[in-house]
């Protein structure tokens, strides 16, 4: 394994938790200058991307959503931020619609590899990944940050990887300075990370700790230099992430088995060269080079649901039309190779095709794919909204800043929602658009 010295990023104890969130998370989550498609003067005057973020840091989900809905913008970061917050409050279709406001180009029309897909064998994604992971030391799975389904899949995979000896869960969004509290309390809260404020992500982390995983925060702490261009920013961040993974895991435990959960292209293993001759590579590629370990890399962002059928990839539409899968699948070309769409072809080992979301009791069917969860009706005393309520469920034993186990919007005139919960006794909070709790009650969920 390549030799690494202890990274300076983990010796900067003078950085407080709050300062890390202030400097790093907005940069990571909302910095989209490399993909922005313009911003009008009016938008600059009305939309402040830091405002919703500040509300979230206080656990004020409703205020964050209300702010964004009252300050529309043509800026690309606005639609990404809105999609993220909508996914946090359980508005999954709204999140897909917001992300589809961003301009995209088709990546698979007239794909010469398409005939291979038509002759490929459909297999269970979970079973196939677990089969391949049996002889691997590192598994890297990515996500789209506005799709909680991907976190549900991540937890299901974590459950199957644990018996294979995987002991570490390294998560891109974790806050390094909150890991001690997370391990001691085993309850993710608003300090654990940014995307972990979404309930499915919070459940992923909570259940992984129950399974015995050790959480690892490996995100960079120091931001890139102010004068760094987009390529320098990528290379700076990916290098720091790899250094932190090596320092925290592989330097002392070179045989450790690690499940790494990332966003989008951080899972790719290729190195690209720009027209000017500069090289750039994402985390998975750099980790392979640094450790000499070949990771099993999986994409679940290209072949996933969009806000409408015609926005999805041609391959995703074809698989769902011809095979009608009821669970995540992969398309096997042969015993060891898999059909992968153009965006990730040659860059990851396999690609997950997610099925169409079904609505059950008013909620996405995949919320209860974990067999320990079930839909639970609200107590009858929960009042009907005059406008909009956010319904939150937390275990009675959880602190107030814990991430809700589930939450969803109840709009005036809409059907009475159900919650997706594990067994236990829960505090149900009804929150208005100003994040004022207007009602609280409790509900006990029996063993399924």
């Amino acid at each position: 394994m390549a030799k690494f010295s202890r990274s300076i990023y983990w010796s900067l104890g003078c950085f407080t938790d709050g300062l890390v969130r202030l400097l790093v998370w907005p940069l990571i989550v909302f910095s989209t200058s490399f993909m922005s498609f313009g911003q009008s003067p009016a938008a600059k005057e009305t939309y402040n991307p830091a405002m919703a973020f500040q509300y979230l840091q206080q656990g004020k989900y409703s205020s964050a959503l209300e702010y964004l809905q009252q300050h529309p913008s043509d800026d690309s970061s606005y639609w990404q931020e809105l999609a993220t917050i909508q996914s946090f409050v359980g508005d999954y279709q709204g999140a897909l619609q917001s992300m589809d406001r961003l301009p995209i180009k088709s990546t698979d029309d007239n794909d010469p590899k398409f005939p291979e897909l038509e002759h490929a064998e459909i297999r269970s994604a979970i079973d196939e990944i677990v089969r391949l992971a049996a002889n691997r030391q590192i598994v890297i799975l990515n996500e789209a940050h506005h799709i909680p389904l991907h976190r549900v899949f991540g937890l299901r995979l974590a459950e199957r990887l644990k018996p294979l000896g995987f002991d570490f869960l390294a998560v891109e969004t974790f806050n390094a300075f909150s890991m001690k509290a997370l391990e001691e309390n085993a309850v993710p809260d608003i300090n654990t990370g940014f995307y972990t404020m979404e309930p499915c992500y919070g459940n992923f982390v909570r259940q992984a700790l129950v399974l015995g995983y050790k959480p690892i925060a490996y995100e960079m702490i120091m931001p890139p230099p102010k004068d760094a261009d987009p390529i320098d920013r990528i290379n700076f961040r990916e290098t720091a992430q790899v250094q932190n993974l090596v320092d925290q895991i592989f330097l002392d435990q070179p045989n450790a088995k690690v499940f790494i959960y990332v966003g989008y292209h951080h899972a790719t293993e290729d190195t690209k060269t720009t027209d000017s001759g500069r090289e750039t590579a994402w985390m998975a590629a750099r980790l392979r080079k640094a450790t000499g370990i070949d990771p099993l890399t999986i994409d679940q962002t290209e072949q996933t649901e969009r806000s409408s059928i015609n926005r999805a990839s041609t391959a995703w539409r074809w698989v769902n039309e011809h095979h009608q899968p009821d669970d995540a699948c992969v398309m096997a070309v042969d015993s060891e190779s898999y059909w992968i769409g153009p965006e990730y072809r040659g860059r990851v080992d396999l690609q997950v095709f997610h099925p169409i979301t079904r609505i059950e009791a008013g909620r996405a069917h995949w919320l209860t794919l974990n067999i320990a969860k079930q839909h639970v009706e609200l107590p009858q005393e929960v009042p009907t909204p005059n406008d909009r309520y956010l319904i939150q469920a937390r275990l009675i034993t959880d602190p107030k800043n814990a991430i809700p186990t589930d939450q969803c919007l109840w709009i005036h005139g809409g059907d009475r929602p159900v919650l997706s919960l594990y067994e236990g006794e829960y505090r149900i909070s009804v929150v208005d658009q100003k994040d004022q709790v207007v009602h609280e009650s409790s509900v006990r969920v029996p063993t399924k």
Side-chain angles (χ1 to χ4, degrees):
M1 183 179 75
K3 299 295 184 182
F4 274 77
S5 61
R6 296 287 179 185
S7 168
I8 62 170
Y9 300 107
W10 294 99
S11 63
L12 297 176
C14 60
F15 274 81
T16 65
D17 181 15
L19 184 58
V20 170
R21 294 200 302 271
L22 178 64
L23 293 179
V24 179
W25 288 2
L27 172 69
I28 296 169
V29 177
F30 303 128
S31 177
T32 56
S33 59
F34 67 95
M35 61 191 300
S36 178
F37 58 90
Q39 190 178 41
S40 68
K44 290 181 179 178
E45 295 172 5
T46 59
Y47 164 59
N48 180 353
M51 286 301 299
F53 178 79
Q54 291 174 15
Y55 284 126
L56 286 173
Q57 289 308 291
Q58 303 171 60
K60 295 181 176 180
Y61 294 89
S62 289
S63 296
L65 178 63
E66 186 77 357
Y67 173 80
L68 290 173
Q69 291 180 333
Q70 292 183 357
H71 296 81
S73 170
D74 289 332
D75 191 288
S76 61
S77 64
Y78 170 82
W79 294 109
Q80 293 177 75
E81 192 174 5
L82 178 59
T84 299
I85 306 307
Q86 287 171 317
S87 73
F88 282 15
V89 299
D91 182 8
Y92 308 128
Q93 183 62 23
L96 295 177
Q97 291 171 345
S98 293
M99 280 299 287
D100 278 348
R101 294 292 295 267
L102 298 177
I104 62 169
K105 63 178 181 179
S106 175
T107 60
D108 61 0
D109 286 346
N110 302 315
D111 184 355
K113 292 282 189 178
F114 198 85
E116 293 182 5
L117 176 63
E118 295 175 331
H119 295 92
E121 176 188 354
I122 185 171
R123 298 178 184 173
S124 161
I126 292 284
D127 289 347
E128 201 69 0
I129 293 170
V130 170
R131 182 181 72 83
L132 296 172
N135 298 315
R136 298 293 187 107
Q137 194 175 335
I138 300 174
V139 172
I140 304 177
L141 176 70
N142 73 357
E143 71 158 20
H145 296 311
H146 65 293
I147 302 182
L149 162 63
H150 295 171
R151 291 134 192 189
V152 173
F153 183 84
L155 172 57
R156 294 172 66 203
L157 181 58
E159 291 171 338
R160 294 285 300 277
L161 290 177
K162 195 67 177 71
L164 299 181
F166 284 80
D167 292 322
F168 294 91
L169 177 65
V171 174
E172 181 181 283
T173 194
F174 276 162
N175 172 12
F177 294 91
S178 294
M179 288 301 95
K180 182 178 180 181
L182 178 63
E183 288 192 76
E184 290 177 350
N185 302 327
V187 177
D189 59 32
I190 59 175
N191 298 312
T192 300
F194 179 75
Y195 293 114
T196 49
M197 286 189 280
E198 187 276 311
C200 289
Y201 213 146
N203 288 331
F204 179 8
V205 174
R206 185 192 290 257
Q207 298 304 317
L209 294 176
V210 171
L211 290 169
Y213 280 95
K214 178 178 176 58
I216 299 293
Y218 67 91
E219 183 57 89
M220 66 177 184
I221 293 178
M222 292 293 290
K226 291 183 178 180
D227 60 352
D229 66 13
I231 293 178
D232 286 337
R233 285 176 177 270
I234 291 173
N235 289 337
F236 182 95
R237 183 183 178 193
E238 308 309 295
T239 299
Q241 288 183 343
V242 169
Q243 182 76 69
N244 293 333
L245 285 166
V246 170
D247 286 353
Q248 291 194 81
I249 303 174
F250 298 105
L251 196 63
D252 295 328
Q253 301 182 69
N255 297 317
K257 304 192 77 170
V258 185
F259 181 22
I260 307 178
Y261 192 74
V262 308
Y264 292 103
H265 293 94
H266 297 280
T268 55
E269 300 185 61
D270 61 320
T271 298
K272 293 184 179 297
T273 303
T274 67
D275 294 339
S276 61
R278 299 166 68 191
E279 284 193 346
T280 183
W282 296 83
M283 185 276 293
R286 295 175 183 275
L287 184 62
R288 178 175 181 170
K289 183 177 181 180
T291 62
I293 301 169
D294 181 18
L296 179 64
T297 50
I298 307 124
D299 166 64
Q300 57 173 342
T301 65
E302 188 174 10
Q303 310 302 343
T304 198
E305 196 169 31
R306 305 295 293 265
S307 62
S308 62
I309 294 293
N310 62 353
R311 296 283 295 191
S313 75
T314 304
W316 181 88
R317 295 198 303 267
W318 188 90
V319 168
N320 275 276
E321 178 183 350
H322 287 79
H323 291 284
Q324 300 179 352
D326 59 5
D327 201 357
C329 62
V330 295
M331 301 303 296
V333 177
D334 54 44
S335 61
E336 296 297 330
S337 65
Y338 304 86
W339 197 92
I340 297 171
E343 177 67 19
Y344 284 87
R345 187 171 297 152
R347 310 180 70 190
V348 297
D349 293 314
L350 68 166
Q351 188 170 67
V352 176
F353 285 74
H354 283 289
I356 297 172
T357 295
R358 302 187 306 276
I359 301 302
E360 298 175 352
R363 304 296 302 279
H365 79 279
W366 39 261
L367 286 170
T368 53
L369 283 179
N370 183 306
I371 60 173
K373 293 185 74 179
Q374 55 189 298
H375 289 317
V376 178
E377 294 184 358
L378 294 181
Q380 286 301 313
E381 62 266 25
V382 171
T384 301
N386 294 323
D387 192 348
R388 180 178 71 198
Y389 284 153
L390 179 63
I391 312 297
Q392 300 180 315
R394 293 180 176 88
L395 285 167
I396 293 292
T397 54
D398 283 352
K400 288 189 176 181
N401 70 340
I403 305 306
T405 299
D406 189 25
Q407 63 182 5
C408 63
L409 295 175
W410 187 4
I411 310 297
H412 174 72
D415 293 336
R416 192 177 186 85
V418 299
L419 293 169
S420 175
L421 302 174
Y422 295 92
E423 68 172 297
E425 188 171 357
Y426 290 86
R427 179 177 65 254
I428 307 300
S429 300
V430 181
V431 180
D432 67 15
Q433 290 167 265
K434 298 184 182 297
D435 279 288
Q436 298 299 310
V437 177
V438 299
H439 176 83
E440 282 196 329
S441 56
S442 62
V443 63
R444 177 176 291 278
V445 180
T447 302
K448 188 174 181 180

